[in-house]
Each structure stands twice: as structure tokens, then as C-alpha cells.
Amino acid sequence: MVEGNWTRVSEFILLSFSSLPTEIQSVLFLTFLVIYLVTLLGNSLIILVTLADPMLHSPMYFFLRNLSFLEIGFNLVIVPKMGTLVAQDTTISFLGCATQMYFFFFFGVSECFLLATMAYDRYVAICSPLHYPVIMNPRTRAKLAAVSWFPGIPMATVQTTWLFSFPFCGINKVNHFFCDSPPVLRLVCADTALFEVYAIIGTILVVMIPCLLILCSYTRIAAAILTIPSAKGKHKAFSTCSSHLLVVSLFYVSLSLVYFRPKSNNSPESKKVLSLSYTVVTPMLNPIIYSLRNNEVKNALGRTFHKALGLRNCIP
């Protein structure tokens, strides 16, 4: 339909990595497929094991289970559309683009706050170990999880609804591998100054508030660890939060490089590569990090597999 000098856009074309040779795109397709399957399998195993094993029913693993749910959601929103590299069908409907953006914001914002909640959980465990079971009782941790998930709803709703209420000109090529706000915003035929101010402030708040909470928690944790007299005790205390620290570092470093670099140093191609780190790679690495660096998870995985094999052997 034509409205004045504007053509109403009914679908978008994700340019993705179309500038690369076909052979490299095929390699990327296989790589993304492997990452997709590993991410789903790894996070699903974390969820199943922390539910099935009584030894992993502590608050720490409750929040880890929530993180795995988020990572699966993140993966399902972003990666399947990247599988169209080989088919060369990179179109996405107007509603599909809006839906993808909504859930991208929802899961991304929720993960920022959940990582902060997990840092608070480690703070209580290390700084108040005797009161930990009382403070982090089932009701409290359920409330903390709900508070972590909730901010994603208004942020995603406002930003997505506002952005897709703008008129779009005839150009419908999104220079990215998913419908992120900046590349879609470039296609708008209207004054977006107020929206851009809102988006910048919202992004800073969503990233900085959890980041500050994490820094505060780990400052107190570091101070508490330094007061432990034995080296073994210090190592044990640090090991309980090392996996979380590594996950936080991977997530926030890549996120900051994408959204807080100067525009002059932020070409579309470099942004695509950096975006892969927190949208595709990090969700795959999280269960690996928690499995390899956590003896309780490794032991629980072993018990679960032995139990499954034992049940299988009993089947006539």
C-alpha cells in the first residue's frame, strides 16, 4: 500500500552475513547449528539435573536453573532465523520482526537483573553463611526470581511498541542477523530523537543498575574472603562464585562493546560479530562453565547418568 510518499513495509530482509561468500555462509550455518544444539542440550541438562538431584536444591542452583531457562529462550529467539543462511531466505514479517525484538529485549533485560540476583545470592552465602538458609528461603528466592524477570516486560513492551509505531519508508533491509533496535531504527521515516534519548537512557539503566549491584556484592564478598585465615578457606569461598564471575564478565563485556562503543568505531559488520558473543556464544558457554568449574554439578551429572543407565539396564 502507498500512503503519501511512503510505502508501508510489510516485511523486512535481514542482511545477516549475505556479503560473505556462499562457502563461508555454509560453514557459518553448520557452526550455528552445532552451537544451537549444544546450547539447548547443555541448558536443558542443567535444568533437569538441578530439578532431579536433591543435592542441587539450594538457592544457587534455583537461580542457575532460571538462567538456563533464559538462555534457552534467548537462543530460540535469535538462532533459528540464522539457519536461513543456506536457504537464502532472510525475510521476516513485520509482526515477526517486532516479536523477535520484543523477546530479545525481554530475555536480555531479565538476564541482566538475574545475574545481579545471583551475585546477591553469593554475597549472602559467603558473608552470612549461618543465616543463608533463613534469608534465602524458598519464598524469598521465588520473589527475587520474579523481580529479576519482571523488568524485561515493561522495557520490551515500551521500546518495541514505540519503535514499530513509526512509519517505515520503502527500504526494508535490516543490516543485522536479527531485529535489533539500532538497525531497524535506521529504516524509520520520522523524527526519532526522543525515542533515541529514551533508548540510550533505558539501556544505561538496564545495564548499569545490575552492574552496580554486582560490583557492590563482589566488593563485600572480596572483603569477606580476605578475612578468612586459611588459604584453603579462601579458595573454597572464591570457587563458589568464580563461575558466576566468569559468566558475568563474558556477558557484560560483549554487551558493552556492542552498545557503548563510539559510533565511529562501531561498523555494522563489527557489531554483528560482537553481537554473536552475547546472543549465541555466551548462552552455549554458560552450562559448560558451570559444569566444568563446579564439582557439585559434575557429580550430579554423573549420578543422573548412572541412574539413567541403571534404569535402562533393568528394562527387560
Side-chain angles (χ1 to χ4, degrees):
M1 290 187 294
V2 177
E3 183 176 306
N5 293 325
W6 296 334
T7 302
R8 189 180 296 276
V9 172
S10 60
E11 65 179 18
F12 294 96
I13 298 173
L14 298 173
L15 295 182
S16 191
F17 301 96
S18 57
S19 60
L20 297 175
T22 306
E23 295 78 10
I24 296 179
Q25 291 187 48
S26 299
V27 173
L28 285 175
F29 168 76
L30 293 174
T31 303
F32 295 146
L33 178 61
V34 171
I35 291 174
Y36 179 67
L37 295 175
V38 170
T39 302
L40 292 182
L41 178 62
N43 284 288
S44 297
L45 275 175
I46 291 290
I47 293 170
L48 292 174
V49 169
T50 55
L51 283 172
D53 197 300
M55 299 295 291
L56 301 184
H57 287 180
S58 66
M60 173 182 172
Y61 297 107
F62 169 78
F63 293 121
L64 177 58
R65 190 159 59 246
N66 275 262
L67 180 63
S68 291
F69 272 115
L70 279 174
E71 299 294 28
I72 289 174
F74 218 37
N75 205 44
L76 290 173
V77 167
I78 301 296
V79 180
K81 194 61 186 174
M82 296 168 68
T84 59
L85 281 168
V86 173
Q88 297 296 314
D89 178 20
T90 57
T91 59
I92 184 170
S93 67
F94 188 89
L95 180 59
C97 188
T99 302
Q100 187 184 51
M101 186 181 293
Y102 176 89
F103 283 105
F104 166 71
F105 283 130
F106 171 70
F107 288 122
V109 172
S110 299
E111 182 161 346
C112 286
F113 283 93
L114 183 61
L115 289 173
T117 300
M118 293 173 77
Y120 173 71
D121 171 71
R122 293 299 81 210
Y123 158 73
V124 176
I126 293 173
C127 297
S128 303
L130 298 178
H131 298 98
Y132 179 64
V134 177
I135 296 173
M136 300 301 291
N137 60 70
R139 186 172 181 178
T140 300
R141 62 191 188 220
K143 288 181 179 178
L144 287 171
V147 168
S148 300
W149 284 75
F150 175 75
I153 298 174
M155 181 70 181
T157 301
V158 173
Q159 186 140 335
T160 305
T161 304
W162 191 353
L163 177 52
F164 282 87
S165 67
F166 285 120
F168 289 87
C169 294
I171 300 174
N172 65 342
K173 294 182 179 180
V174 179
N175 194 8
H176 212 337
F177 57 84
F178 70 99
C179 288
D180 196 6
S181 179
V184 174
L185 188 64
R186 294 190 188 100
L187 309 180
V188 171
C189 298
D191 183 8
T192 60
L194 186 59
F195 175 84
E196 291 181 54
V197 172
Y198 159 78
I200 292 171
I201 294 174
T203 302
I204 291 173
L205 291 176
V206 163
V207 174
M208 294 307 297
I209 290 176
C211 193
L212 289 173
L213 291 173
I214 291 169
L215 286 173
C216 288
S217 295
Y218 276 106
T219 300
R220 299 292 296 273
I221 288 171
I225 290 176
L226 289 174
T227 62
I228 298 174
S230 68
K232 185 178 179 180
K234 290 179 180 178
H235 176 74
K236 184 178 179 181
F238 178 75
S239 66
T240 63
C241 53
S242 60
S243 297
H244 178 257
L245 261 177
L246 185 55
V247 168
V248 167
S249 300
L250 287 171
F251 182 77
Y252 274 99
V253 168
S254 57
L255 197 68
S256 300
L257 287 174
V258 172
Y259 291 103
F260 296 112
R261 286 202 311 168
K263 287 188 176 181
S264 58
N265 299 328
N266 202 10
S267 68
E269 298 307 316
S270 66
K271 184 174 180 179
K272 290 178 194 178
V273 174
L274 289 170
S275 296
L276 285 173
S277 59
Y278 73 90
T279 58
V280 178
V281 178
T282 301
M284 177 192 68
L285 292 178
N286 285 354
I288 297 173
I289 291 169
Y290 274 100
S291 298
L292 295 179
R293 298 180 64 86
N294 191 307
N295 288 327
E296 288 183 337
V297 174
K298 285 192 286 188
N299 293 335
L301 283 169
R303 287 193 296 270
T304 302
F305 283 125
H306 280 109
K307 189 181 294 184
L309 292 172
L311 290 173
R312 183 178 295 176
N313 291 335
C314 293
I315 297 174

